[in-house]
Amino acid sequence: MAKGEVTRKRILDIAQDAVLAKGFDATSIDEIVAGAEITKSGFFYHFRDKNALARAMIERHIEFEDQLFDDLSHRAAELADDPLQRALIWMKLLAELLDDMPGGHPGCVVATAVYQDRLFDQGVREANRRAVEGWRKRFRGMFAAAAAEYPPREAVDLDDLADALCAIIEGAIMISRAVGEPRVTARQVMTLRSYVKLLFSPKVS
Amino acid sequence: MAKGEVTRKRILDIAQDAVLAKGFDATSIDEIVAGAEITKSGFFYHFRDKNALARAMIERHIEFEDQLFDDLSHRAAELADDPLQRALIWMKLLAELLDDMPGGHPGCVVATAVYQDRLFDQGVREANRRAVEGWRKRFRGMFAAAAAEYPPREAVDLDDLADALCAIIEGAIMISRAVGEPRVTARQVMTLRSYVKLLFSPKVS
DNA sequence: CCCGAAACCACACCGTGGGTACAGCACCAT
DNA sequence: ATGGTGCTGTACCCACGGTGTGGTTTCGGG
């Protein structure tokens, strides 16, 4: 890795920690600069402004999370052939993962940016849109496979169901932070899992 | 109403308009001062800092929303005696209300504060915790009444179910803002409604 | 071994925004 | 007439994002 990329990565690492802990607005460039042991000029050499930093962070986060979700899918596929079972296992694995985070989910960079989106330019907003649409597509695929095998008991739009998973995760992170209960996020994933189970389980039990 | 209270209310009104339109951080005190036709000193006479303004706005918002939710409960109670039906009607009414907002839900003050630590102090965070706990209590009560009549098909913690409603609303607001689809919020309320319906409906259909 | 580009540093400076400090004035009630 | 309430006006401070310019180190390729 070239020297420039190392510094760039260090800046992103420092920034990510600070942003997840305190929010984007609360993280000053001076602070990042001090943490990464560079100068302000050095920072602006790598990122033309704070927007560029935000965009880079979001894109990196999407990449990381994609890999993590792919990993969960892979493990779920190993444990079951049935698409519904796979979806249920996937959600259980996610819940376990969330529960293992001692301080709760560190908070979503995307959500952070969404709630402060007036601070950011069009590029950041676009990055955010792509992130959410990526989740929607992924979750929809998972539920669509289940729906193909098991007719849902209630008429439900698959995009809505995918959004529900996304929404409940994001919402749970918010609640968990607001009330200071880290485990809320995992519990909410399990709550939605219970819905998926009910929705796709055969009518005659 | 005393002269001071009139001015105070005017400041809050102006601030609320600006904040709902552009977000809290994008709304400067100078701007509020200009809108309310007072001076900066006048502003700081009424609010010691921006935190005090935020706290006042959140408390006012909670009050407003409480009244709105009470109203929905009242209307639902008029339309049905059955607690499950009441809950379902309540959620439908909420969805309709959300759908009637042309630009989508303006965004939750509580959520923004969760993601901004420097901008808001401990007092604001406390107000937020109270808000979320208030929702939990309210929603739990609604679902508990339904659960008393109809044994849930799946084991579910009522606090979790209450949180799910709260989470899905907050999460949906985030998604709706990220992808620019105002109707997402209402659709998500309806999605959770479908869960509630399935969860509490009698086993033999 | 040297050159040139990439990767910084040092420093000075600007505008905006939150916030402070304090003196004073107008109005109203007692 | 007097004292509190509700402001105005002015001057000022600091943090932060951001710009600009000129200089210096580092390092790989010819």
Side-chain angles (χ1 to χ4, degrees), chain B residues 73-99:
Chain B
S73 299
H74 202 254
R75 284 169 61 196
E78 278 174 351
L79 291 166
D81 286 328
D82 183 78
L84 175 57
Q85 285 308 312
R86 281 185 179 177
L88 294 175
I89 290 170
W90 192 95
M91 292 175 81
K92 183 76 166 70
L93 289 174
L94 177 62
E96 280 171 9
L97 211 112
L98 290 169
D99 240 348

Side-chain angles (χ1 to χ4, degrees), chain B:
Chain B
M1 189 154 45
K3 197 190 171 197
E5 280 184 53
V6 175
T7 308
R8 195 187 145 89
K9 188 182 174 299
R10 198 167 70 245
I11 294 173
L12 281 171
D13 287 338
I14 297 282
Q16 190 161 13
D17 283 351
V19 167
L20 289 184
K22 312 186 300 173
F24 195 84
D25 45 306
T27 304
S28 71
I29 294 178
D30 285 341
E31 184 187 341
I32 296 167
V33 155
E37 288 176 321
I38 51 166
T39 61
K40 215 172 169 182
S41 313
F43 174 86
F44 284 105
Y45 174 80
H46 287 285
F47 303 96
R48 70 189 327 240
D49 55 21
K50 227 185 171 185
N51 281 301
L53 176 70
R55 213 155 47 235
M57 285 176 69
I58 290 170
E59 261 140 26
R60 210 206 209 191
H61 177 76
I62 292 175
E63 222 170 291
F64 170 80
E65 211 170 53
D66 265 346
Q67 193 141 10
L68 195 143
F69 285 171
D70 281 341
D71 186 48
L72 290 187
S73 299
H74 202 254
R75 284 169 61 196
E78 278 174 351
L79 291 166
D81 286 328
D82 183 78
L84 175 57
Q85 285 308 312
R86 281 185 179 177
L88 294 175
I89 290 170
W90 192 95
M91 292 175 81
K92 183 76 166 70
L93 289 174
L94 177 62
E96 280 171 9
L97 211 112
L98 290 169
D99 240 348
D100 283 343
M101 295 176 178
H105 193 282
C108 182
V109 208
V110 176
T112 57
V114 166
Y115 284 103
Q116 292 177 307
D117 264 22
R118 191 202 60 185
L119 212 48
F120 303 109
D121 65 8
Q122 196 58 39
V124 177
R125 275 185 288 250
E126 279 298 312
N128 265 330
R129 229 202 50 230
R130 280 198 304 276
V132 173
E133 277 165 358
W135 292 333
R136 181 184 277 172
K137 195 180 162 194
R138 172 188 290 273
F139 298 155
R140 187 202 158 96
M142 193 167 76
F143 293 134
E149 292 276 327
Y150 303 91
R153 289 202 187 191
E154 287 254 327
V156 67
D157 185 284
L158 287 174
D159 274 335
D160 284 347
L161 192 58
D163 280 353
L165 179 51
C166 184
I168 219 157
I169 293 172
E170 293 295 339
I173 291 172
M174 198 225 87
I175 292 177
S176 120
R177 286 177 64 157
V179 296
E181 295 172 18
R183 308 197 60 183
V184 165
T185 317
R187 297 181 71 90
Q188 285 306 308
V189 171
M190 289 307 282
T191 304
L192 195 74
R193 183 176 179 273
S194 144
Y195 174 43
V196 173
K197 213 160 117 190
L198 272 180
L199 187 64
F200 293 118
S201 65
K203 278 209 175 178
V204 182
S205 56

Side-chain angles (χ1 to χ4, degrees), chain A:
Chain A
M1 186 153 48
K3 197 191 169 197
E5 279 183 51
V6 175
T7 307
R8 196 187 145 91
K9 188 182 173 300
R10 199 167 68 245
I11 294 174
L12 282 171
D13 286 339
I14 297 282
Q16 191 162 12
D17 283 350
V19 167
L20 289 182
K22 313 185 301 172
F24 199 85
D25 183 63
T27 305
S28 71
I29 293 178
D30 285 339
E31 183 188 342
I32 296 167
V33 155
E37 289 177 320
I38 50 167
T39 61
K40 216 171 171 183
S41 312
F43 174 87
F44 283 105
Y45 174 80
H46 288 285
F47 303 96
R48 70 188 324 242
D49 56 21
K50 226 184 173 188
N51 282 300
L53 175 70
R55 213 154 48 234
M57 284 177 64
I58 292 169
E59 261 140 28
R60 207 173 76 150
H61 178 75
I62 292 175
E63 223 172 289
F64 169 81
E65 212 170 53
D66 264 346
Q67 194 142 7
L68 195 143
F69 285 171
D70 280 342
D71 186 49
L72 290 188
S73 298
H74 201 254
R75 286 169 60 195
E78 278 174 351
L79 292 167
D81 286 329
D82 182 79
L84 175 56
Q85 285 309 313
R86 282 185 177 178
L88 293 176
I89 290 171
W90 192 95
M91 292 174 82
K92 182 78 167 66
L93 289 174
L94 177 63
E96 280 171 8
L97 210 113
L98 290 169
D99 240 347
D100 283 343
M101 296 176 178
H105 193 284
C108 179
V109 201
V110 177
T112 307
V114 165
Y115 284 115
Q116 297 170 48
D117 67 350
R118 266 83 187 181
L119 270 175
F120 303 114
D121 63 9
Q122 197 57 39
V124 177
R125 271 183 288 245
E126 279 298 314
N128 261 328
R129 229 202 49 231
R130 279 200 304 278
V132 174
E133 277 165 358
W135 292 333
R136 181 185 279 172
K137 197 182 161 192
R138 170 188 292 274
F139 298 154
R140 188 202 157 95
M142 193 168 75
F143 293 134
E149 292 276 328
Y150 303 91
R153 287 200 188 192
E154 284 255 327
V156 67
D157 183 285
L158 288 174
D159 275 334
D160 284 346
L161 192 58
D163 282 352
L165 180 49
C166 182
I168 219 158
I169 294 172
E170 294 295 340
I173 291 173
M174 197 227 89
I175 292 176
S176 123
R177 289 178 64 139
V179 297
E181 296 173 18
R183 308 199 59 180
V184 166
T185 317
R187 297 180 72 89
Q188 283 308 306
V189 171
M190 290 307 282
T191 304
L192 194 73
R193 183 175 179 274
S194 143
Y195 174 41
V196 172
K197 212 159 115 192
L198 271 180
L199 186 64
F200 293 119
S201 65
K203 278 208 172 178
V204 182
S205 56

